[in-house]
């Protein structure tokens, strides 16, 4: 994957529970065929990060533009990457979602559980092959990188290595989201296994780190505000989300851990979207996927969303794009073996639970 990837916005959306109950009440097969007098609605289940509680995120803008253009209302539910897949699995006999957007390896997991149907959105031919499924089950709509955040007020400079985080000054001041539940939490496992050279040395390190860890968090987006306030000194995140958050959180800095003696590393964590199998509003789902990959929406990814577009032919030059490129300079980008991670994720998470006592 190229070094000029992507990033993510975020924040917890209020009202999801109310929406959840209304969706359950209406039932998955309640509408007539879309486009033939059916409901003018599309329901999106998404990992957190692209919608802002201030209403100025990428989702906020593109969903509003989509509704204005098509008359189709977007109903939105968000949560951790794994949480959204698990919810869709539970609803498989009474499907509620039309579009599922989540991070690797959970998009592959969703496909493996039969949750997705094949659809290649308009514009997907401009997306790199590594960022989409060959059979059209999912396509990246926003690219992103895994990273960490730190409090710039309390720390004169960012930590540089994993080993530094074992220092006693981080006790009760460090937290990362839960592997297997949150996409960025799972990314902690992936990056540590890469940086330390395998599962066993990574688990040995994470066992030591647990002495400083505050504890589990189902959602990564909750950690940046705690870090900005000084409740935490260090937390995990991802570039796009944290870059967007930093606009209103002045103490938030982004960094990339290295193994002692090595280079800082990261890997791409794109927001990948798929059309849900037996979706109640399939045609509306197709229209939304087309719009998310349109040049119009992709041009807004950096300026509004704080990330890089999924389409390779859209090359932003705005101030955010320039700043993000500088941020990624000197960071070694590796490509995880997603097939292996998808196959062995449960084993990796179990090993983490055993090592940390979680």
């Amino acid at each position: 994957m190229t070094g000029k990837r992507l990033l993510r916005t975020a924040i917890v959306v209020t009202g999801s529970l109310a929406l959840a109950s209304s969706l359950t009440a209406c039932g998955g097969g309640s509408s007539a065929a879309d486009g033939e007098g059916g409901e003018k609605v599309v329901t999106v289940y998404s990992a957190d990060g692209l919608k802002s509680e201030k209403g100025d995120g990428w989702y906020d803008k593109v969903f509003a533009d989509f509704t204005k253009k098509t008359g189709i209302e977007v109903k939105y539910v968000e949560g951790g990457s794994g949480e959204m897949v698990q919810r869709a699995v539970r609803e498989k006999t009474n499907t509620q979602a039309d579009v599922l957007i989540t991070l690797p390896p959970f998009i592959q997991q969703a496909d493996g559980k039969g949750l997705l149907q094949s659809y290649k959105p308009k514009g997907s031919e401009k997306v790199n092959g590594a960022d989409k499924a060959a059979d059209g089950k999912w396509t990246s709509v926003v690219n992103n990188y895994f990273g960490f955040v730190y409090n710039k007020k309390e720390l004169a400079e960012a930590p540089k290595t994993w080993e530094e985080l074992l220092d006693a000054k981080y006790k009760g001041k460090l937290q990362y989201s839960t592997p297997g539940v949150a996409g960025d939490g799972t990314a902690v496992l992936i990056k540590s296994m890469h940086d330390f050279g395998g599962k066993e040395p990574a688990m040995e390190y994470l066992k030591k780190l647990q002495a400083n860890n505050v504890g589990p968090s189902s959602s990564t987006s909750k950690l940046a505000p705690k870090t900005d306030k000084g409740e935490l000194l260090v937390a995990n995140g991802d570039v796009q989300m944290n870059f967007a958050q930093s606009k209103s959180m002045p103490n938030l800095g982004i960094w990339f851990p290295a193994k002692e003696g090595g280079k800082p590393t990261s890997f791409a964590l794109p927001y990948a979207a798929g059309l849900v199998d037996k979706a109640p509003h399939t045609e509306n789902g197709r229209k939304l996927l087309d719009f998310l990959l349109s040049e119009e929406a992709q041009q807004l990814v950096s300026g509004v969303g704080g990330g890089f577009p999924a389409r390779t032919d859209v090359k932003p030059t705005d101030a955010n794009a320039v700043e993000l490129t500088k941020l990624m300079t000197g960071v070694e980008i590796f490509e995880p073996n997603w097939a292996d991670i998808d196959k062995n994720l449960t084993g990796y998470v179990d090993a983490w639970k055993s090592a940390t006592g979680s």
Side-chain angles (χ1 to χ4, degrees):
M1 300 192 179
T2 63
K4 293 184 179 178
R5 276 325 203 107
L6 182 350
L7 333 178
R8 143 159 151 249
T9 315
I11 312 172
V12 181
V13 174
T14 58
S16 290
L17 292 179
L19 173 56
S21 61
S22 69
L23 290 175
T24 303
C26 71
S30 61
S31 68
D34 342 73
E36 298 178 4
E39 286 186 299
K40 300 285 282 185
V41 65
V42 60
T43 299
V44 176
Y45 283 9
S46 178
D48 53 6
L50 289 171
K51 187 169 173 57
S52 167
E53 60 185 9
K54 293 184 176 181
D56 57 358
W58 188 67
Y59 275 163
D60 299 287
K61 174 62 175 170
V62 297
F63 288 169
D65 290 349
F66 174 74
T67 299
K68 184 177 180 180
K69 183 176 181 179
T70 65
I72 298 170
E73 177 190 358
V74 180
K75 292 188 176 181
Y76 178 75
V77 180
E78 77 167 29
S81 298
E83 178 188 356
M84 290 295 92
V85 174
Q86 291 162 11
R87 177 169 176 164
V89 169
R90 292 195 301 270
E91 297 172 349
K92 203 170 179 182
T93 58
N94 185 28
T95 307
Q96 305 293 325
D98 301 301
V99 172
L100 177 66
I101 304 176
T102 188
L103 309 181
F106 296 102
I107 193 66
Q108 291 91 341
Q109 186 182 88
D111 186 16
K113 292 180 180 295
L115 294 177
L116 307 176
Q117 59 175 296
S118 181
Y119 179 64
K120 297 182 179 180
K122 296 174 184 176
S124 61
E125 71 280 0
K126 301 293 186 181
V127 176
N128 276 329
D131 298 335
K132 61 187 176 184
D135 61 1
K137 292 293 183 65
W138 57 268
T139 305
S140 297
V141 292
V142 170
N143 285 328
N144 195 9
Y145 289 110
F146 178 60
F148 274 65
V149 292
Y150 73 104
N151 182 292
K152 295 191 294 185
K153 183 178 179 181
E154 299 294 332
L155 299 174
E157 60 180 12
K160 291 182 173 59
T161 67
W162 288 104
E163 287 82 0
E164 284 182 58
L165 301 182
L166 299 177
D167 190 283
K169 74 178 181 182
Y170 293 106
K171 186 173 179 63
K173 291 286 190 175
L174 176 151
Q175 190 174 17
Y176 60 90
S177 51
T178 307
V181 175
D184 290 325
T186 304
V188 172
L189 287 187
I190 295 170
K191 178 171 157 58
S192 61
M193 286 192 293
H194 171 271
D195 289 359
F196 285 95
K199 182 178 77 171
E200 297 307 322
M203 298 308 154
E204 183 180 338
Y205 168 79
L206 292 171
K207 181 179 182 179
K208 295 176 184 176
L209 186 65
Q210 194 65 12
N212 289 342
N213 188 18
V214 170
S217 175
S218 62
S219 176
T220 313
S221 65
K222 297 175 182 178
L223 304 183
K226 293 180 180 181
T227 305
D228 179 63
K229 293 173 185 176
E231 294 175 28
L232 299 172
L233 292 178
V234 170
N236 70 316
D238 62 73
V239 179
Q240 176 273 333
M241 176 175 69
N242 297 143
F243 182 83
Q245 289 173 316
S246 69
K247 299 301 183 182
S248 59
M249 299 179 190
N251 298 321
L252 203 65
I254 299 172
W255 68 290
F256 305 90
K259 186 178 183 302
E260 204 165 68
K263 295 180 179 179
T265 67
S266 184
F267 62 96
L269 271 180
Y271 287 90
L275 186 64
V276 177
D277 188 45
K278 299 181 177 63
H281 311 102
T282 294
E283 187 56 37
N284 293 347
R286 291 191 183 107
K287 290 177 181 177
L288 179 61
L289 288 172
D290 287 348
F291 191 77
L292 294 178
L293 274 178
S294 67
E295 288 191 52
E296 177 184 349
Q298 290 287 299
Q299 287 286 358
L300 299 173
V301 169
S302 57
V304 174
F308 289 119
R311 285 180 55 152
T312 59
D313 62 330
V314 176
K315 303 183 185 299
T317 57
D318 58 84
N320 282 357
V322 173
E323 192 173 343
L324 287 164
T325 299
K326 289 180 180 177
L327 180 65
M328 300 305 297
T329 301
V331 179
E332 186 178 275
I333 305 299
F334 67 92
E335 185 173 334
N337 184 338
W338 291 116
D340 169 76
I341 293 163
D342 181 38
K343 180 181 178 182
N344 297 301
L345 180 60
T346 299
Y348 294 147
V349 172
D350 286 345
W352 170 80
K353 289 178 179 177
S354 177
T356 61
S358 299

